[in-house]
Amino acid sequence: MAKLTFVGGIHPYDGKDLSKDKPIKDILPKGDLVYPLSQHIGAPAVPVVKKGDHVLTGQKIAEAGGFVSAPIYATVSGTVKAIEPRRVVTGDKVMSIVIENDGEYAEVTYPEPKPLEEMSREEILDCIRDAGVVGMGGAGFPTHVKLAVNEPEKIDYVIANCAECEPYLTSDYRRMLEEPEKLIEGLKVSLALFPNATGILAVEDNKEDCIALLKEKTKDESRILVKGLKTKYPQGAERTLIYATTKRQIDSSRLPADVGCVVNNVDSIVAIYNAVYHRRPLMERIVTITGDAIAKPQNYRVRIGTNYHELVEAAGGFRKEPAKIVSGGPMMGFAIFELDVPTTKTASALLCMTKDEVSLLEPSACINCGRCLEVCPSRIMPNLLATLAEQHNEEAFLKNEGMECCECGCCSFVCPAKRHLSQNIKSQRKIQLGKRKK
């Protein structure tokens, strides 16, 4: 096994060349802004505005619906047009606040920031919670909850997930190159919460320029290390990242904090920086608009709530009608059937492809080649688990560690029989997780 990596994994075409050399562009929304009240794991946010209210950029429009929840802020000034169900990227209709953009972008006055060294642990966590920061790598778990561990002195590592192993995505890459100071200062905020922890900037070695830049910027930081990881998917998954950087292992029954680790992705750490150093709530993120169907692939700084149609238009539209559009990357993203949906806190990318290769594949019987076992980072048996999921054999599915699947899709990628391994396992995991909640 190579240094700073994990057992298993794959090397798909990364597609990053389409957008990695394009600097981040700011984009201002034109039409209405839509803010789904469920943009995070946990309880939906609760509206604190009503139809007809005038709001300013940076004004809270929905408060957290519980401890595991996060507030939502207006990203433009304008009038609350409606509070009603609206379609989101998953295809579901979610209760949302709709704001008619007045085009003026008038902002609230933000509280005066307090020097980090003068802030208590509770004050730092309050800033992060009040700013509505969540995991922006896809999961959407409220960041203040993740950082509020019971025994902070037992955290040994605060890991910045800079791997960006998902093909086609380059938003973290551009953020690291263009705004490394924000990333480093945000990591230092997290380290202020954990007195015994070392910070790790974990970057795949296909981003040598980022590794060199971050090493230069942190050469005088005694508590921060930059570690180059072997380029391999899914190097950026939480479990594999922790193992690659610390050789500590967790399973589905344990949290990173149980092995002395805390992990946040690049955009979340920058949001922490903005919350603590500038008292600005989470209102924007970097989104990669890419794929061979896009005329001019690009990374955009996007105000949350912006319609995807506007982002495609900004990227020059379609050079050819896409056969498939994916929210996120090709491995862990999901296909969407319309662009009239808003960007959210967890919206990392929009991938538009001229060919839908997956739908053309006809699954056949398993040939017991074992390739899925070789690439599985969770070291489980995807071929068996997919069959058990198809048979709805829940008892056997659980007995054979079906809940340990990290849903990376490596098994489906290498399967010569083109079986829907990851999809079947993922469906059964959702059923089991739903039963646990009940």
Side-chain angles (χ1 to χ4, degrees):
M1 184 175 64
K3 186 180 179 183
L4 295 187
T5 190
F6 59 97
V7 176
I10 57 175
H11 296 86
Y13 165 65
D14 68 10
K16 295 181 185 291
D17 56 301
L18 293 173
S19 59
K20 75 181 185 70
D21 296 325
K22 310 287 181 63
I24 297 167
K25 279 189 177 181
D26 292 304
I27 183 171
L28 290 176
K30 300 174 183 177
D32 294 345
L33 282 290
V34 177
Y35 305 90
L37 297 176
S38 294
Q39 297 189 37
H40 48 263
I41 290 175
V46 180
V48 292
V49 293
K50 63 183 183 299
K51 183 178 178 180
D53 285 354
H54 184 267
V55 298
L56 299 175
T57 305
Q59 180 178 331
K60 184 187 292 187
I61 55 175
E63 62 186 6
F67 178 64
V68 184
S69 185
I72 297 169
Y73 291 81
T75 57
V76 297
S77 56
T79 304
V80 177
K81 193 173 180 179
I83 301 177
E84 62 188 19
R86 285 294 185 99
R87 189 85 63 190
V88 294
V89 291
T90 58
D92 301 321
K93 283 196 171 183
V94 174
M95 191 61 70
S96 306
I97 298 172
V98 183
I99 293 179
E100 185 177 4
N101 182 7
D102 63 13
E104 296 181 5
Y105 304 101
E107 282 193 80
V108 300
T109 301
Y110 301 107
E112 190 68 27
K114 190 175 180 180
L116 178 62
E117 58 273 13
E118 296 179 13
M119 297 178 72
S120 67
R121 173 180 172 80
E122 290 69 27
E123 287 175 320
I124 295 172
L125 289 172
D126 285 347
C127 278
I128 296 169
R129 180 199 64 210
D130 294 344
V133 182
V134 303
M136 296 165 72
F141 192 80
T143 301
H144 70 278
V145 180
K146 182 183 288 189
L147 296 175
V149 300
N150 291 328
E151 299 175 296
E153 68 280 358
K154 291 187 177 181
I155 298 299
D156 301 314
Y157 299 102
V158 177
I159 305 170
N161 185 353
C162 311
E164 198 167 47
C165 63
E166 180 80 34
Y168 289 91
L169 274 61
T170 58
S171 56
D172 287 350
Y173 171 75
R174 293 310 314 180
R175 178 80 91 171
M176 286 186 280
L177 275 186
E178 298 182 44
E179 301 176 339
E181 294 84 4
K182 292 181 180 180
L183 172 62
I184 293 165
E185 291 302 318
L187 180 57
K188 287 164 71 174
V189 171
S190 299
L191 287 172
L193 299 169
F194 306 107
N196 302 321
T198 296
I200 297 176
L201 292 159
V203 192
E204 279 194 322
D205 59 12
N206 64 348
K207 306 173 185 67
E208 292 182 357
D209 46 357
C210 287
I211 293 174
L213 178 62
L214 292 174
K215 282 185 174 180
E216 173 62 27
K217 295 287 185 181
T218 59
K219 63 183 180 182
D220 298 323
E221 300 291 344
S222 60
R223 294 183 67 191
I224 297 178
L225 302 174
V226 180
K227 292 192 175 186
L229 312 176
K230 181 178 179 180
T231 299
K232 183 169 61 169
Y233 177 85
Q235 190 71 264
E238 195 167 63
R239 296 185 210 171
T240 54
L241 186 72
I242 289 172
Y243 181 77
T245 53
T246 70
K247 294 300 179 279
R248 300 182 181 187
Q249 294 178 292
I250 59 172
D251 57 27
S252 64
S253 66
R254 307 175 79 193
L255 295 172
D258 295 329
V259 292
C261 298
V262 170
V263 182
N264 278 309
N265 93 310
V266 170
D267 250 354
S268 298
I269 293 172
V270 172
I272 289 172
Y273 161 80
N274 286 325
V276 174
Y277 279 90
H278 301 290
R279 299 301 300 272
R280 290 179 65 88
L282 174 53
M283 296 186 291
E284 61 185 26
R285 64 161 300 138
I286 311 300
V287 180
T288 305
I289 307 299
T290 188
D292 61 355
I294 292 291
K296 299 176 182 178
Q298 184 73 50
N299 285 291
Y300 291 103
R301 194 187 318 272
V302 177
R303 297 192 181 214
I304 291 163
T306 303
N307 192 285
Y308 270 121
H309 269 304
E310 296 185 28
L311 302 187
V312 172
E313 181 183 337
F318 297 126
R319 69 174 188 83
K320 186 177 179 182
E321 194 65 25
K324 175 169 276 189
I325 300 177
V326 177
S327 174
M331 297 302 296
M332 295 191 73
F334 42 88
I336 62 176
F337 58 86
E338 67 172 314
L339 286 172
D340 188 19
V341 289
T343 54
T344 61
K345 296 178 182 182
T346 58
S348 60
L350 189 71
L351 175 60
C352 305
M353 308 298 292
T354 57
K355 293 182 181 179
D356 184 0
E357 297 179 6
V358 176
S359 67
L360 300 176
L361 302 175
E362 286 293 334
S364 58
C366 175
I367 62 173
N368 295 312
C369 65
R371 293 183 191 177
C372 59
L373 282 74
E374 291 176 359
V375 301
C376 178
S378 298
R379 318 315 294 158
I380 53 179
M381 297 181 286
N383 55 342
L384 173 61
L385 290 167
T387 299
L388 295 174
E390 285 180 315
Q391 296 171 347
H392 302 288
N393 190 338
E394 299 182 21
E395 183 179 349
F397 180 86
L398 294 173
K399 184 178 179 181
N400 285 279
E401 307 295 348
M403 299 308 290
E404 294 307 311
C405 173
C406 65
E407 301 180 5
C408 65
C410 288
C411 53
S412 297
F413 183 83
V414 300
C415 179
K418 309 306 177 188
R419 296 181 67 203
H420 299 154
L421 300 172
S422 183
Q423 181 179 339
N424 289 332
I425 297 170
K426 184 176 182 179
S427 296
Q428 184 57 229
R429 287 187 77 251
K430 282 188 174 181
I431 291 172
Q432 298 305 318
L433 290 170
K435 289 184 175 182
R436 288 182 184 180
K437 287 182 179 179
K438 288 181 180 179

